[in-house]
């Protein structure tokens, strides 16, 4: 028997992370120069070539954040002793107090760079670098999967549902919070405070709002995406009506700076207003499509073969594309990724209208 090599085509994780950092560190160059700006040797082996991949509209320059340093991250002040860290894909924030550091979220893509950022800031400010508290925005691994790097002595804080979900997950990289709350909890450190609040399920059953009133800063993750349309399928949210309502909840806070948990820049109130209008436009277009799209051709095409899944797939795909089209046209060049995820977002909203709101397309109650 001939041995089959096992390592010649395995994607190089370190190479991929280096490539991701390169793109995040120089987004303008990547957008202007295109794929040729990235050496072919730096890319991991895949089953697809560049010619097979779709092309999308350029990213508006306003969507990009600050350049990353040589280690692949950026750290900067929000206001006074509140700081944020990004790798261009994910974000964390931390409060540097006279008694220690309070961190909110530990994304694994930032990983140990979060410790480097804290050490750099506290060395300059002359405050302790010891992390005393780690607040979880929600249980998802992509936002807290580096929690374990802070060791066992840190006080982990989260919603009671976060503790339940993490105990079920049993992930050693995401130890369950030991300090939990049901509706509200305040962490006070001298003149600083972080107000933690649970306003019901949205992106996840446990996603919370973290507000720093002295710094007029709100951190709510996977709801608002400053400069961009929401990630695929409305941020892969588990409760779409709750996620939509979370926009109004977020805008009800008195903040001037938003930490959204994703991508390379902070948000301002105009970003929240813009995304809320995007969702309203998409909702209106989806409802119009639901009222106007005739399901008859889909039943005629696939009904005789008994392929029920084909009926629904063709109908729902067509509905999502029809609902997305005018929204893409309106926001292309204004919100990054309008042509990337709006069809997926329309699909999620369409399904929510059918399932959560009782708009039973492509059928109704049988007479």
């Amino acid at each position: 028997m001939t041995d089959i090599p096992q390592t010649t085509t395995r994607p190089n994780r370190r190479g991929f992370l280096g490539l991701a950092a390169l793109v995040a560190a120089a987004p303008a160059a990547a957008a202007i120069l295109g794929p040729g700006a990235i050496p072919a040797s730096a890319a991991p082996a895949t089953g697809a070539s560049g010619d097979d991949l779709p092309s999308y509209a350029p990213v508006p320059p306003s969507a990009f954040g600050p350049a990353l340093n040589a280690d692949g991250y950026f750290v900067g002040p929000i206001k006074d002793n509140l700081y944020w860290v990004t790798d261009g894909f994910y974000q964390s924030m931390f409060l540097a107090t006279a008694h220690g550091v309070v961190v909110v979220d530990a994304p694994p893509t930032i990983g140990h760079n979060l410790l480097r950022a804290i050490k750099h800031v506290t060395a300059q400010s002359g405050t302790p670098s010891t992390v005393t508290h780690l607040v979880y925005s929600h249980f998802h691994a992509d936002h807290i999967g580096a929690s374990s790097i802070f060791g066992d002595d840190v006080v982990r804080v989260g919603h009671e549902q976060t503790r339940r979900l993490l105990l079920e997950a049993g992930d050693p990289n995401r130890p369950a919070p030991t300090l939990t709350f049901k509706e509200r909890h305040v962490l006070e450190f001298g003149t600083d405070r972080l107000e933690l609040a649970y306003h019901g399920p949205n992106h996840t059953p446990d996603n919370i709002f973290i507000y720093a009133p002295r710094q007029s800063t709100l951190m709510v993750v996977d709801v608002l995406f400053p400069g961009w349309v929401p990630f695929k399928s409305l941020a892969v949210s588990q409760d779409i009506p709750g996620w939509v309502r979370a926009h109004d909840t977020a805008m009800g806070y008195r903040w001037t700076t938003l930490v959204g948990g994703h991508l390379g820049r902070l948000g301002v109130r105009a970003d929240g207003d813009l995304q809320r209008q995007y969702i309203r436009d998409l909702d209106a277009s989806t409802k119009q499509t639901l009222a106007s799209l005739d399901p008859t051709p889909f039943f005629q095409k696939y009904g005789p073969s008994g392929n029920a899944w084909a009926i629904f797939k063709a109908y729902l795909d067509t509905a999502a594309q029809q609902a997305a089209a005018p929204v893409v046209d309106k926001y292309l060049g204004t919100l990054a990724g309008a042509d990337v995820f709006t069809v997926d977002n329309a699909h999620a909203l369409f399904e929510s209208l059918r399932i959560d709101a009782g708009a039973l397309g492509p059928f109704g109650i049988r007479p």
Side-chain angles (χ1 to χ4, degrees):
M1 178 180 290
T2 303
D3 290 335
I4 301 174
Q6 299 296 312
T7 59
T8 56
T9 60
R10 177 177 295 177
N12 185 308
R13 182 174 181 274
R14 183 178 295 274
F16 174 78
L17 291 175
L19 178 61
L22 172 65
V23 174
I32 294 170
L33 299 178
I38 302 171
S41 60
T46 68
S49 68
D51 293 337
D52 298 328
L53 301 177
S55 297
Y56 296 107
V59 174
S62 60
F64 291 123
L68 308 184
N69 63 19
D71 287 323
Y73 72 92
F74 170 85
V75 60
I78 296 175
K79 183 180 179 182
D80 298 334
N81 57 336
L82 184 65
Y83 298 83
W84 71 298
V85 185
T86 183
D87 62 352
F89 298 100
Y90 285 85
Q91 299 172 358
S92 172
M93 77 174 185
F94 64 90
L95 192 62
T97 79
H99 306 285
V101 179
V102 183
V103 179
V104 184
D105 279 359
T109 63
I110 301 177
H112 286 83
N113 276 339
L114 187 51
L115 297 177
R116 296 182 182 99
I118 292 169
K119 183 177 181 181
H120 172 76
V121 165
T122 54
Q124 289 188 329
S125 64
T127 54
S129 62
T130 302
V131 176
T132 61
H133 294 74
L134 174 59
V135 178
Y136 291 165
S137 65
H138 63 299
F139 80 100
H140 278 172
D142 62 327
H143 288 280
I144 63 167
S147 172
S148 59
I149 70 174
F150 291 98
D152 297 330
D153 294 332
V154 65
V155 177
R156 291 175 169 85
V157 186
H159 190 261
E160 61 183 19
Q161 289 287 342
T162 304
R163 177 173 173 80
R164 177 184 67 81
L165 290 162
L166 289 178
L167 288 175
E168 289 178 0
D171 181 358
N173 290 318
R174 293 178 287 163
T178 53
L179 176 57
T180 64
F181 65 98
K182 184 175 182 179
E183 294 182 354
R184 296 182 183 274
H185 184 77
V186 176
L187 296 172
E188 293 193 77
F189 310 92
T191 60
D192 290 301
R193 57 193 279 141
L194 291 179
E195 299 176 357
L196 315 181
Y198 178 67
H199 296 287
N202 49 77
H203 171 64
T204 59
D206 64 322
N207 203 25
I208 65 170
F209 292 65
I210 304 102
Y211 182 54
R214 192 169 73 82
Q215 293 83 4
S216 300
T217 297
L218 176 68
M219 183 168 178
V220 57
V221 174
D222 287 325
V223 175
L224 296 174
F225 297 79
W228 297 72
V229 302
F231 186 72
K232 179 181 175 71
S233 301
L234 301 179
V236 202
S237 295
Q238 293 176 253
D239 187 324
I240 298 301
W243 182 85
V244 172
R245 287 193 298 270
H247 289 66
D248 292 332
T249 302
M251 297 307 291
Y253 278 82
R254 299 178 64 181
W255 57 270
T256 57
T257 303
L258 177 92
V259 182
H262 275 286
L263 303 164
R265 74 167 175 85
L266 297 170
V268 296
R269 293 197 70 86
D271 293 314
D273 291 333
L274 184 60
Q275 182 173 309
R276 188 160 55 171
Q277 188 58 51
Y278 167 88
I279 296 299
R280 288 171 177 168
D281 289 340
L282 190 59
D283 179 70
S285 186
T286 303
K287 288 175 178 175
Q288 183 180 25
T289 298
L290 182 62
S292 62
L293 183 60
D294 182 7
T296 304
F298 305 95
F299 282 93
Q300 290 176 336
K301 171 72 175 179
Y302 303 108
S305 67
N307 195 337
W309 273 187
I311 296 171
F312 276 85
K313 174 175 171 54
Y315 173 81
L316 295 172
D317 287 352
T318 300
Q321 291 163 5
Q322 181 174 314
V327 181
V328 172
D329 288 344
K330 178 176 179 178
Y331 289 94
L332 200 63
T334 301
L335 286 176
D339 58 334
V340 180
F341 280 143
T342 298
V343 171
D344 296 298
N345 290 337
H347 197 288
L349 199 54
F350 199 90
E351 283 290 75
S352 180
L353 283 173
R354 295 191 328 111
I355 294 170
D356 298 318
L360 296 174
F363 54 80
I365 299 175
R366 187 179 182 92

